[in-house]
Structure formats: C-alpha cells, structure tokens
Coordinates of all heavy atoms in Angstrom, one line a residue:
M23 N 100.7 61.7 2.9 CA 99.5 62.5 2.5 C 98.9 61.9 1.2 O 97.8 62.2 0.9 CB 99.8 63.9 2.3 CG 100.1 64.6 3.7 SD 100.6 66.2 3.8 CE 99.3 67.0 2.6
Q24 N 99.6 61.1 0.5 CA 99.2 60.5 -0.7 C 98.5 59.2 -0.6 O 98.0 58.6 -1.5 CB 100.3 60.3 -1.7 CG 101.0 61.7 -2.0 CD 100.2 62.8 -2.6 OE1 99.2 62.5 -3.3 NE2 100.2 64.0 -2.0
N25 N 98.4 58.7 0.6 CA 97.8 57.4 0.9 C 96.3 57.4 0.7 O 95.6 58.3 1.3 CB 98.1 57.0 2.4 CG 97.6 55.6 2.7 OD1 96.4 55.4 2.9 ND2 98.5 54.7 2.8
T26 N 95.7 56.6 -0.3 CA 94.4 56.7 -0.6 C 93.4 56.4 0.6 O 92.3 56.9 0.7 CB 94.1 55.7 -1.8 OG1 94.5 54.5 -1.6 CG2 94.7 56.3 -3.1
Q27 N 93.9 55.5 1.4 CA 93.0 55.0 2.6 C 92.9 56.2 3.5 O 91.8 56.5 4.0 CB 93.7 53.8 3.3 CG 92.7 53.4 4.6 CD 93.3 52.3 5.3 OE1 94.3 51.8 5.0 NE2 92.6 51.8 6.4
L28 N 93.9 56.9 3.8 CA 93.9 58.1 4.7 C 93.1 59.2 4.1 O 92.3 59.9 4.8 CB 95.3 58.4 5.1 CG 96.1 57.5 6.0 CD1 97.6 58.0 6.2 CD2 95.4 57.1 7.2
Q29 N 93.3 59.3 2.8 CA 92.6 60.4 2.1 C 91.0 60.2 2.2 O 90.2 60.9 2.5 CB 92.9 60.6 0.7 CG 94.3 61.2 0.5 CD 94.8 61.2 -1.0 OE1 94.1 60.6 -1.7 NE2 95.8 62.0 -1.1
A30 N 90.7 58.8 2.0 CA 89.2 58.4 1.9 C 88.6 58.5 3.3 O 87.4 58.9 3.3 CB 89.1 57.0 1.5
R31 N 89.3 58.4 4.4 CA 88.7 58.5 5.7 C 88.8 60.1 6.2 O 88.5 60.3 7.3 CB 89.2 57.6 6.7 CG 90.6 57.7 7.1 CD 91.2 56.7 8.1 NE 90.7 57.0 9.4 CZ 91.4 57.4 10.4 NH1 92.9 57.3 10.3 NH2 91.1 57.7 11.6
G32 N 89.4 60.9 5.4 CA 89.5 62.3 5.7 C 90.4 62.5 6.9 O 90.2 63.3 7.8
Y33 N 91.5 61.7 6.9 CA 92.5 61.8 7.9 C 93.1 63.2 8.1 O 93.4 63.6 9.3 CB 93.5 60.8 7.8 CG 94.6 60.6 8.8 CD1 94.2 60.2 10.2 CD2 95.8 61.0 8.6 CE1 95.2 60.1 11.1 CE2 96.9 60.9 9.7 CZ 96.6 60.5 10.8 OH 97.5 60.4 11.8
F34 N 93.5 63.8 7.0 CA 94.3 65.0 7.0 C 93.3 66.1 7.2 O 92.3 66.1 6.4 CB 95.1 65.1 5.9 CG 96.3 64.1 5.9 CD1 96.2 63.0 5.1 CD2 97.4 64.2 6.8 CE1 97.2 62.0 5.2 CE2 98.4 63.2 6.8 CZ 98.3 62.2 6.1
G35 N 93.6 67.1 8.1 CA 92.7 68.3 8.2 C 93.5 69.5 7.8 O 94.7 69.5 7.6
R36 N 92.7 70.6 7.6 CA 93.4 71.9 7.3 C 93.1 72.9 8.4 O 91.9 72.8 9.0 CB 92.9 72.4 5.9 CG 92.9 71.3 4.9 CD 93.9 71.4 3.9 NE 94.3 72.7 3.3 CZ 95.5 73.0 2.8 NH1 96.4 72.1 3.0 NH2 95.6 74.1 2.2
Y37 N 94.0 73.7 8.8 CA 93.9 74.6 9.9 C 94.4 75.9 9.6 O 95.6 75.9 8.9 CB 94.6 74.0 11.1 CG 94.6 74.9 12.3 CD1 93.4 75.4 12.9 CD2 95.9 75.4 12.8 CE1 93.5 76.2 14.0 CE2 95.9 76.2 14.0 CZ 94.8 76.5 14.5 OH 94.8 77.4 15.6
S38 N 93.7 76.9 9.8 CA 94.3 78.3 9.5 C 94.6 79.1 10.8 O 93.7 79.7 11.3 CB 93.3 79.1 8.6 OG 93.3 78.5 7.4
P39 N 95.8 78.9 11.3 CA 96.0 79.7 12.5 C 96.1 81.2 12.2 O 95.9 81.6 11.1 CB 97.4 79.2 12.9 CG 98.1 78.6 11.6 CD 96.9 78.3 10.9
R40 N 96.5 82.0 13.1 CA 96.6 83.5 13.0 C 97.8 83.8 12.1 O 98.6 84.7 12.4 CB 96.7 84.2 14.2 CG 95.3 84.2 15.0 CD 95.4 84.8 16.3 NE 95.3 83.9 17.2 CZ 95.6 84.0 18.6 NH1 96.1 85.1 18.9 NH2 95.4 83.0 19.4
L41 N 98.1 83.0 11.1 CA 99.2 83.2 10.2 C 98.6 83.5 8.7 O 97.4 83.3 8.5 CB 100.2 82.1 10.2 CG 100.8 81.6 11.5 CD1 101.5 80.4 11.4 CD2 101.6 82.8 12.0
S42 N 99.4 83.7 7.8 CA 99.0 84.0 6.4 C 99.1 82.6 5.7 O 99.2 82.7 4.5 CB 99.8 85.1 5.8 OG 101.2 84.6 5.9
T43 N 99.0 81.5 6.3 CA 99.1 80.2 5.7 C 98.1 79.2 6.2 O 97.5 79.5 7.3 CB 100.5 79.7 5.7 OG1 100.6 78.6 5.0 CG2 100.9 79.3 7.2
T44 N 97.9 78.1 5.6 CA 97.1 77.0 6.0 C 98.0 75.9 6.3 O 98.8 75.6 5.5 CB 95.9 76.7 5.0 OG1 95.1 77.8 4.8 CG2 95.1 75.6 5.6
I45 N 97.8 75.2 7.4 CA 98.6 74.1 7.8 C 97.7 72.8 7.6 O 96.6 72.7 7.9 CB 99.0 74.2 9.2 CG1 99.8 75.4 9.5 CG2 99.8 72.9 9.7 CD1 100.1 75.8 11.0
T46 N 98.3 71.8 7.0 CA 97.8 70.5 6.9 C 98.3 69.6 8.0 O 99.4 69.6 8.4 CB 98.1 69.7 5.6 OG1 97.6 70.6 4.5 CG2 97.5 68.5 5.4
Y47 N 97.4 69.0 8.8 CA 97.8 68.2 10.0 C 97.1 66.9 10.0 O 96.0 66.7 9.5 CB 97.5 69.0 11.3 CG 96.0 69.3 11.4 CD1 95.3 68.3 12.3 CD2 95.4 70.3 10.8 CE1 93.9 68.5 12.4 CE2 93.9 70.5 11.1 CZ 93.2 69.5 11.9 OH 91.9 69.7 12.0
P48 N 97.7 65.9 10.7 CA 97.0 64.6 10.8 C 95.9 64.6 11.8 O 96.0 65.4 12.8 CB 98.2 63.7 11.3 CG 99.1 64.6 11.9 CD 99.0 65.9 11.3
G49 N 95.0 63.8 11.7 CA 93.9 63.6 12.6 C 94.2 62.7 13.6 O 95.2 62.2 13.7
P50 N 93.0 62.3 14.3 CA 93.2 61.3 15.4 C 93.6 59.9 14.7 O 93.1 59.6 13.6 CB 91.9 61.2 16.2 CG 91.0 62.0 15.3 CD 91.7 62.9 14.4
F51 N 94.2 59.0 15.4 CA 94.6 57.7 14.9 C 93.4 56.8 14.7 O 93.5 55.8 14.0 CB 95.7 57.0 15.6 CG 95.3 56.5 17.0 CD1 95.0 55.3 17.2 CD2 95.3 57.4 18.1 CE1 94.6 54.7 18.4 CE2 95.0 57.0 19.4 CZ 94.6 55.7 19.6
V52 N 92.4 57.0 15.4 CA 91.2 56.3 15.2 C 90.0 57.3 15.0 O 90.0 58.3 15.5 CB 90.8 55.4 16.4 CG1 91.9 54.3 16.6 CG2 90.6 56.1 17.6
R53 N 88.9 56.8 14.3 CA 87.8 57.6 14.2 C 86.7 57.0 15.3 O 86.5 55.9 15.3 CB 87.1 57.5 12.8 CG 88.1 58.2 11.8 CD 87.5 58.1 10.5 NE 86.3 59.0 10.4 CZ 85.7 59.1 9.2 NH1 86.0 58.6 8.1 NH2 84.5 59.9 9.3
A54 N 86.2 58.0 16.0 CA 85.2 57.6 17.0 C 84.3 58.7 17.3 O 84.7 60.0 17.1 CB 85.9 57.2 18.3
S55 N 83.0 58.5 17.7 CA 82.1 59.6 17.8 C 82.4 60.4 19.0 O 82.0 61.6 19.0 CB 80.7 59.0 18.1 OG 80.7 58.2 19.2
V56 N 83.2 60.0 20.0 CA 83.6 60.9 21.1 C 84.8 61.7 20.9 O 85.3 62.5 21.8 CB 83.8 60.0 22.4 CG1 82.3 59.4 22.8 CG2 84.8 58.9 22.2
I57 N 85.6 61.5 19.8 CA 86.8 62.3 19.5 C 86.5 63.3 18.4 O 86.1 62.9 17.3 CB 88.0 61.3 19.0 CG1 88.3 60.3 20.2 CG2 89.3 62.2 18.7 CD1 89.3 59.3 19.7
S58 N 86.7 64.5 18.7 CA 86.5 65.6 17.8 C 87.9 65.9 17.1 O 88.9 65.8 17.7 CB 85.9 66.9 18.4 OG 87.0 67.5 19.2
R59 N 87.7 66.3 16.0 CA 89.1 66.8 15.2 C 89.8 67.9 15.9 O 91.0 67.9 16.0 CB 88.7 67.2 13.8 CG 90.0 67.5 13.0 CD 89.7 67.7 11.6 NE 89.4 66.6 10.8 CZ 90.2 65.6 10.3 NH1 91.5 65.8 10.7 NH2 89.9 64.6 9.7
A60 N 89.0 68.8 16.5 CA 89.6 70.0 17.2 C 90.4 69.5 18.4 O 91.4 70.1 18.8 CB 88.5 70.9 17.7
A61 N 90.0 68.3 19.1 CA 90.8 67.8 20.1 C 92.2 67.3 19.7 O 93.1 67.2 20.5 CB 90.0 66.7 20.8
S62 N 92.3 67.1 18.4 CA 93.6 66.5 18.0 C 94.7 67.7 17.7 O 95.8 67.3 17.4 CB 93.4 65.6 16.8 OG 93.1 66.3 15.7
L63 N 94.2 68.9 17.7 CA 95.1 69.9 17.3 C 95.9 70.3 18.6 O 95.5 70.2 19.7 CB 94.3 71.2 16.9 CG 93.6 71.2 15.6 CD1 92.7 72.4 15.4 CD2 94.6 71.0 14.4
G64 N 97.1 70.8 18.3 CA 97.9 71.2 19.5 C 97.4 72.7 19.9 O 96.4 73.2 19.3
P65 N 98.2 73.3 20.8 CA 97.7 74.6 21.2 C 97.8 75.7 20.1 O 98.7 75.4 19.3 CB 98.7 75.0 22.4 CG 99.8 73.9 22.3 CD 99.3 72.7 21.6
K66 N 97.0 76.6 20.1 CA 97.1 77.8 19.2 C 98.3 78.6 19.5 O 98.8 78.6 20.6 CB 95.9 78.6 19.2 CG 94.6 77.7 18.6 CD 93.3 78.5 18.6 CE 92.3 77.7 18.0 NZ 91.8 76.5 18.8
I67 N 98.7 79.4 18.6 CA 99.9 80.3 18.8 C 99.5 81.3 19.9 O 98.5 82.0 19.8 CB 100.2 81.0 17.5 CG1 100.7 80.0 16.4 CG2 101.3 82.1 17.7 CD1 101.0 80.6 15.0
G68 N 100.3 81.2 20.9 CA 100.1 82.2 22.0 C 99.0 81.8 23.1 O 98.8 82.5 24.0
E69 N 98.6 80.6 22.9 CA 97.4 80.2 23.8 C 97.9 80.1 25.2 O 97.2 80.4 26.1 CB 96.9 78.9 23.3 CG 95.8 78.3 24.1 CD 95.2 77.0 23.6 OE1 95.5 76.6 22.4 OE2 94.3 76.4 24.3
H70 N 99.1 79.7 25.5 CA 99.6 79.5 26.8 C 100.6 80.6 27.2 O 101.3 80.3 28.3 CB 100.1 78.1 27.0 CG 99.1 77.0 26.7 ND1 98.0 76.7 27.5 CD2 99.0 76.1 25.7 CE1 97.2 75.8 27.1 NE2 97.8 75.4 26.0
N71 N 100.6 81.6 26.6 CA 101.7 82.6 26.9 C 101.6 83.2 28.3 O 102.5 83.3 29.1 CB 101.5 83.8 26.0 CG 102.2 83.5 24.5 OD1 102.6 82.5 24.4 ND2 102.2 84.5 23.7
A72 N 100.4 83.5 28.8 CA 100.2 84.1 30.1 C 100.8 83.0 31.2 O 101.4 83.4 32.1 CB 98.8 84.4 30.3
E73 N 100.4 81.9 31.0 CA 100.9 80.8 31.9 C 102.4 80.8 32.0 O 103.0 80.6 33.1 CB 100.3 79.5 31.6 CG 98.8 79.4 31.8 CD 98.3 78.2 31.1 OE1 98.7 77.8 30.0 OE2 97.3 77.5 31.7
I74 N 103.0 80.8 30.8 CA 104.5 80.8 30.8 C 105.1 81.9 31.4 O 106.0 81.9 32.2 CB 105.0 80.7 29.3 CG1 104.4 79.3 28.7 CG2 106.5 80.7 29.2 CD1 104.9 78.1 29.2
Y75 N 104.6 83.2 31.0 CA 105.1 84.5 31.6 C 104.9 84.5 33.1 O 105.8 84.9 33.8 CB 104.6 85.7 30.9 CG 105.0 85.8 29.4 CD1 104.1 85.9 28.4 CD2 106.3 85.9 29.0 CE1 104.4 86.1 27.1 CE2 106.7 85.9 27.8 CZ 105.7 86.1 26.8 OH 106.1 86.3 25.5
L76 N 103.7 84.2 33.5 CA 103.4 84.3 35.0 C 104.0 83.2 35.8 O 104.7 83.4 36.8 CB 102.0 84.5 35.1 CG 101.3 85.6 34.5 CD1 99.8 85.6 34.5 CD2 101.7 87.0 35.0
D77 N 103.7 81.9 35.5 CA 104.1 80.9 36.3 C 105.5 80.5 36.2 O 106.1 80.2 37.1 CB 103.1 79.6 36.0 CG 101.6 79.9 36.3 OD1 101.4 80.9 37.0 OD2 100.9 79.3 35.7
D78 N 105.9 80.2 34.9 CA 107.3 79.7 34.7 C 108.3 80.8 34.8 O 109.5 80.5 35.3 CB 107.4 79.0 33.3 CG 106.5 77.7 33.2 OD1 106.0 77.3 34.3 OD2 106.2 77.4 32.1
L79 N 108.1 81.9 34.3 CA 109.1 83.0 34.2 C 109.0 84.0 35.4 O 109.8 84.7 35.7 CB 109.1 83.8 33.0 CG 109.3 83.1 31.7 CD1 109.2 83.9 30.4 CD2 110.7 82.4 31.8
G80 N 107.8 83.8 36.2 CA 107.7 84.6 37.4 C 107.4 86.1 37.3 O 107.5 86.9 38.2
L81 N 106.9 86.6 36.1 CA 106.5 87.9 35.9 C 105.3 88.2 36.8 O 104.4 87.3 36.9 CB 106.3 88.2 34.4 CG 107.5 88.8 33.6 CD1 108.6 87.6 33.5 CD2 107.1 89.1 32.3
T82 N 105.1 89.5 37.0 CA 103.8 89.9 37.7 C 102.8 90.2 36.6 O 103.2 90.5 35.4 CB 104.0 91.0 38.6 OG1 104.3 92.2 37.8 CG2 105.0 90.8 39.7
R83 N 101.5 90.3 36.9 CA 100.5 90.7 36.0 C 100.8 92.1 35.5 O 100.6 92.4 34.3 CB 99.1 90.6 36.6 CG 98.6 89.2 36.8 CD 97.2 89.1 36.6 NE 96.8 87.6 36.9 CZ 96.7 86.8 35.8 NH1 96.9 87.3 34.6 NH2 96.4 85.6 36.0
E84 N 101.2 93.0 36.4 CA 101.5 94.3 35.9 C 102.7 94.4 34.9 O 102.7 95.1 34.0 CB 102.0 95.2 37.2 CG 100.8 95.5 38.1 CD 100.6 94.2 39.0 OE1 101.4 93.3 39.2 OE2 99.3 94.1 39.6
E85 N 103.8 93.5 35.0 CA 104.9 93.5 34.2 C 104.4 92.9 32.8 O 104.8 93.4 31.8 CB 106.0 92.6 34.7 CG 106.7 93.1 35.8 CD 107.6 92.2 36.5 OE1 107.2 91.0 36.7 OE2 108.8 92.6 36.9
L86 N 103.5 91.9 32.9 CA 102.9 91.3 31.7 C 102.1 92.4 31.0 O 102.3 92.6 29.7 CB 102.0 90.2 32.0 CG 101.5 89.4 30.8 CD1 102.6 88.8 30.0 CD2 100.7 88.2 31.3
V87 N 101.3 93.2 31.5 CA 100.5 94.3 30.9 C 101.5 95.3 30.3 O 101.2 95.7 29.2 CB 99.6 95.0 31.9 CG1 99.1 96.3 31.4 CG2 98.6 93.9 32.4
R88 N 102.5 95.7 31.0 CA 103.4 96.7 30.5 C 104.1 96.2 29.3 O 104.3 97.0 28.3 CB 104.5 97.1 31.5 CG 104.0 98.2 32.5 CD 105.3 98.7 33.2 NE 106.1 97.9 33.9 CZ 105.9 97.4 35.2 NH1 104.9 97.8 35.9 NH2 106.8 96.6 35.7
L89 N 104.5 94.9 29.2 CA 105.2 94.4 28.1 C 104.2 94.3 26.8 O 104.6 94.5 25.7 CB 105.7 92.9 28.3 CG 106.9 92.8 29.2 CD1 107.2 91.4 29.7 CD2 108.2 93.4 28.5
R90 N 103.0 94.0 27.2 CA 101.9 94.0 26.1 C 101.8 95.4 25.5 O 101.7 95.6 24.3 CB 100.6 93.4 26.5 CG 100.7 92.0 26.7 CD 99.3 91.3 27.0 NE 99.3 89.9 27.0 CZ 98.5 89.3 27.9 NH1 97.7 89.8 28.7 NH2 98.7 87.9 27.9
E91 N 101.6 96.4 26.4 CA 101.4 97.7 26.0 C 102.6 98.3 25.2 O 102.4 99.1 24.2 CB 101.1 98.6 27.2 CG 99.8 98.3 27.8 CD 99.6 99.1 29.1 OE1 100.6 99.7 29.6 OE2 98.5 99.1 29.5
A92 N 103.7 97.8 25.5 CA 105.0 98.2 24.8 C 105.2 97.5 23.5 O 106.0 97.9 22.7 CB 106.2 98.0 25.7
G93 N 104.3 96.5 23.2 CA 104.4 95.8 22.0 C 105.6 94.7 21.9 O 106.0 94.2 21.0
A94 N 106.2 94.4 23.2 CA 107.3 93.4 23.3 C 106.7 92.0 23.2 O 107.4 91.2 22.8 CB 108.0 93.6 24.6
I95 N 105.5 91.8 23.6 CA 104.9 90.5 23.5 C 103.5 90.6 22.9 O 102.9 91.6 22.9 CB 104.9 89.7 24.8 CG1 104.1 90.5 25.9 CG2 106.2 89.4 25.2 CD1 103.9 89.8 27.2

C-alpha cells in the first residue's frame, strides 16, 4: 500500500460494507474504460445468503422466512 506508483494510479479503494469499519482493497490489475472499480469488489456481506440456504442447504422459502423472523439469520 506504500508503493508510490500504485498510489498515483489510485489502485487502492475504500469500501464501507454494512460494518462499523472501512476496508481498503486492491483495484483491478489494469485500468481500462470498460472495467469499473465496483466490478472488482467481491460479494457484499449476505449478498448470496438466499442462494446458499435454498439451493445448497435445501431449505424451503417458508423455512427461510421463519429463520429470518426468528432473528436466526
């Protein structure tokens, strides 16, 4: 993060997920007009939860709703 070339090209970005902190993350390895910085971020916290619970774990939508209402997830 102290590399002057990477700092000059704005390689490192800052991201504030739904946490009480800000994360510094690396940008794309090349700069191009067709690559956005947002595309280089990984999934947001909880972004794929429904897919995991429903598809991978085999829960039904009703079970998922009950777990959310109970505050378990």
Side-chain angles (χ1 to χ4, degrees):
M23 290 178 46
Q24 302 303 318
N25 184 288
T26 53
Q27 180 182 3
L28 294 177
Q29 289 176 347
R31 67 180 280 246
Y33 180 70
F34 295 101
R36 311 260 310 149
Y37 173 64
S38 296
R40 287 178 251 164
L41 303 172
S42 59
T43 187
T44 300
I45 298 170
T46 301
Y47 65 94
F51 70 97
V52 297
R53 290 181 69 177
S55 60
V56 296
I57 298 175
S58 73
R59 182 171 291 280
S62 68
L63 292 175
K66 293 179 178 62
I67 294 172
E69 183 176 348
H70 300 291
N71 282 2
E73 293 164 321
I74 300 298
Y75 291 126
L76 298 173
D77 299 338
D78 295 342
L79 297 178
L81 271 65
T82 66
R83 291 211 176 267
E84 294 77 22
E85 291 171 318
L86 186 57
V87 168
R88 279 198 307 270
L89 287 171
R90 283 186 180 148
E91 289 172 349
I95 56 173

